[in-house]
Amino acid sequence: MTNSVRLKWLLAESDMRAGAEAEALPLLSVSISWGVRRRKASDMTTRAASEDLSNYKLCRAGDLVINRMRAFQGALGIAPEAGIVSPDYAVLRVESKVDKRWLNYYLTSGFIVSTMASMVRGIGGTEAGNVRTPRLNVSDLQSMTAPLASAEEQRAIADYLDRETARIDTLIEEQQRLIEMLRERRESAIRSVLLAGLDDEAPRQSSGVALLGDIPSHWRMVPTRYLCTITTGSEDSGNATDDGAYPLYVRGREVLRIDHYSFDGEAVMTPGDGQGGTGKVFHYVNGKFEAHQRVYVFKDFIGISGWYFYYFLSAFLRPVALAGSNTVTMESLRRPLLADFQVAVPPLEEQHQIATYLDEQTAGVDDLIAESERFIELARERRSALITAAVTGQIDLREMV
C-alpha cells in the first residue's frame, strides 16, 4: 500500500426515503458494539415503535451506515441486509471494487475514529463524550483519505482480521460469560444472607412480600420512606469536567468528575432511567459528591446502615419492582415505588455484622470479576491495535495476497 485516495471516490451518499416501503423492511440500528443490525423490540421506546417511519432512509445490503452522532466513537458498519434507518443516519453506497469488510475495519480503526472525533460539529468536547447534538458531516468524512490498496490486498487484510478478531472475540465472550456466572453467584449469596441473617436457627416469620419469603422473626419490614430521605440530583452530564475534584454520579455505571458538590455524607444512589439499565446500577458514597438530575439519592438514614441498605436495595429493588409490574421491563423508576419499597431491617448491630460478612464473602468474587474485566480491556486494546496495524500496512500480509 503506497498511495492514498479520498473517500469521496469510494463512498457516495444516498438519501432515498422509505415511503410506503417502510412497513415491509426491517428497522436497522447502528451501535459502537455491534455495527449494523436489526433493532430489537427491547431497544425501542413506545414512541419509536409507533411513529411514522416513511421518512426513514432506505439502505441496501452492503451500504455503509453511520450513526453521525456517535461516529467519533466508532458507531458505523456495513448493512447486512436491506432495511430502513433513522433519517439522522448517513447512508453511503460503497464503490463496487472495494472490499466492504476491509472498509469497515479501516473506518473503525483507532486512528480513523480519532480523526472523525476531530471533525464532529457540535457543542462541547468529544474527549469526555459531552458533545451536545454532535454530528459528523458526510462531506468531512469524504474528505478523509484511505490507502490505495489493491482488491487482493484488501481481501487479504480482511481475511486476516476476520480470523484474528474472531479469536479475540471468542476469548472476550468466554470472559463475559465467566463474569456473568460470578455475578449470579455473588447475587445469590448476598440475597440468601439478606433474608436469613447469620443465624440459621433463628425463628422465622413471613416478610409479607411474596418474592422475599420468610425472614427472622425479630426483623422488621419497613418501607424505605421511613428509613431515609429520597431526593434527586440537579446536575447534567454535560457539566462534568475531567479534572473535577468531586464524583458526579450519572445515569450509567461510569462515575464522572465535577468541580463542585451539593451533597456531603453517606448516600446510596440509583438512576431513575438510563443506559445502564433501570434497577441495575447502584452506587454507595460517604463524602462530598454531585448527582445527575435523574439519579435518585437516598440519604439521612434512620435506624439503618447506609451500607446495609445499599446491599439490600441493589439485591432486591429490580426483582421486587418487576414482580409487582405488568411489564417484563422497567423503563424508569418512580419515587412512589421507591418510597414504598419494603426493606428487611435487622437490629443495627446485626446489620453491621451482615454487611461485614458480605464484604468478606464477596471480596474474592469481586477480585475474579476485576481480573476478567482487565483481561477484556486488554483484549479489546489488542484487537484495536491489530486492526490499525493491518489496515495501515504495519503488518506485512503480502505473502497472503
Side-chain angles (χ1 to χ4, degrees):
M1 293 182 289
T2 55
N3 298 324
S4 61
V5 58
R6 288 198 180 278
L7 290 178
K8 70 177 181 178
W9 302 115
L10 305 180
L11 302 171
E13 185 173 14
S14 172
D15 194 23
M16 297 177 60
R17 302 298 165 138
E21 294 184 64
E23 296 182 5
L25 291 171
L27 179 59
L28 307 180
S29 64
V30 185
S31 87
I32 301 165
S33 302
W34 58 74
V36 184
R37 73 174 185 182
R38 289 196 181 197
R39 186 183 296 186
K40 296 181 179 179
S42 59
D43 297 333
M44 300 174 67
T45 63
T46 302
R47 178 181 177 274
S50 62
E51 68 182 341
D52 178 12
L53 304 181
S54 61
N55 194 44
Y56 273 46
K57 293 182 179 179
L58 287 171
C59 70
R60 303 183 307 191
D63 283 350
L64 175 67
V65 184
I66 302 176
N67 179 342
R68 297 194 304 136
M69 294 183 68
R70 287 290 176 261
F72 68 91
Q73 295 173 322
L76 56 85
I78 301 298
E81 61 181 328
I84 59 173
V85 297
S86 166
D88 196 50
Y89 287 179
V91 177
L92 297 107
R93 297 279 150 79
V94 182
E95 208 278 331
S96 60
K97 295 180 181 179
V98 175
D99 187 298
K100 295 176 175 62
R101 296 173 301 150
W102 170 83
L103 180 66
N104 189 70
Y105 281 125
Y106 180 74
L107 292 178
T108 55
S109 61
F111 81 105
I112 286 297
V113 170
S114 297
T115 302
M116 290 183 189
S118 69
M119 294 179 169
V120 167
R121 302 172 188 270
I123 304 170
T126 57
E127 66 280 354
N130 291 331
V131 173
R132 301 174 190 174
T133 63
R135 295 290 188 279
L136 174 69
N137 288 342
V138 171
S139 59
D140 290 332
L141 173 69
Q142 291 175 321
S143 71
M144 296 167 60
T145 60
L148 191 59
S150 67
E152 292 77 13
E153 286 178 300
Q154 292 178 23
R155 184 167 57 253
I157 292 170
D159 288 345
Y160 170 78
L161 288 175
D162 282 350
R163 289 193 305 273
E164 296 304 314
T165 58
R167 293 191 184 107
I168 296 173
D169 291 343
T170 297
L171 292 174
I172 290 174
E173 289 170 4
E174 289 174 353
Q175 292 299 311
Q176 289 173 330
R177 286 194 294 270
L178 174 60
I179 290 173
E180 184 178 353
M181 181 195 70
L182 289 170
R183 283 179 173 157
E184 288 175 355
R185 182 187 303 173
R186 183 184 190 277
E187 290 173 4
S188 176
I190 290 173
R191 288 173 181 172
S192 176
V193 173
L194 288 173
L195 294 178
L198 302 177
D199 183 0
D200 294 336
E201 298 181 359
R204 300 179 66 79
Q205 65 180 354
S206 171
S207 67
V209 179
L211 187 68
L212 302 184
D214 292 342
I215 60 172
S217 58
H218 64 288
W219 291 15
R220 300 175 298 130
M221 294 299 297
V222 183
T224 297
R225 69 173 74 247
Y226 299 118
L227 298 172
C228 60
T229 300
I230 306 173
T231 186
T232 61
S234 59
E235 282 295 337
D236 185 84
S237 302
N239 296 329
T241 55
D242 289 343
D243 56 352
Y246 307 102
L248 168 61
Y249 296 92
V250 292
R251 297 158 68 197
R253 297 183 186 279
E254 182 182 10
V255 180
L256 305 181
R257 307 296 297 182
I258 199 166
D259 56 10
H260 57 270
Y261 67 92
S262 298
F263 301 93
D264 185 2
E266 188 178 39
V268 175
M269 284 161 286
T270 188
D273 57 21
Q275 296 179 345
T278 307
K280 292 183 178 180
V281 177
F282 297 87
H283 297 286
Y284 171 86
V285 65
N286 193 354
K288 298 177 175 66
F289 68 94
E290 192 58 86
H292 188 277
Q293 58 190 330
R294 286 294 294 131
V295 169
Y296 286 106
V297 180
F298 304 82
K299 64 187 187 73
D300 304 327
F301 297 104
I302 302 172
I304 191 168
S305 155
W307 190 229
Y308 174 87
F309 180 78
Y310 165 81
Y311 269 125
F312 197 92
L313 190 74
S314 59
F316 293 113
L317 176 61
R318 184 173 177 83
V320 169
L322 282 176
S325 172
N326 294 324
T327 63
V328 295
T329 61
M330 288 193 301
E331 292 183 359
S332 63
L333 291 170
R334 296 290 179 256
R335 193 173 310 211
L337 182 150
L338 298 173
D340 292 338
F341 176 71
Q342 299 265 340
V343 179
V345 182
L348 199 56
E349 180 58 32
E350 194 172 350
Q351 293 176 35
H352 292 309
Q353 293 172 356
I354 290 172
T356 300
Y357 175 82
L358 289 176
D359 288 346
E360 295 169 351
Q361 294 299 306
T362 58
V365 177
D366 290 342
D367 287 344
L368 291 174
I369 291 174
E371 184 178 333
S372 291
E373 289 175 337
R374 284 194 297 271
F375 178 91
I376 290 173
E377 182 179 358
L378 291 173
R380 285 175 173 160
E381 290 176 359
R382 163 64 180 160
R383 188 183 193 277
S384 177
L386 187 69
I387 292 172
T388 297
V391 299
T392 56
Q394 298 174 47
I395 299 176
D396 189 356
L397 301 175
R398 285 176 294 183
E399 68 275 9
M400 299 183 185
V401 177

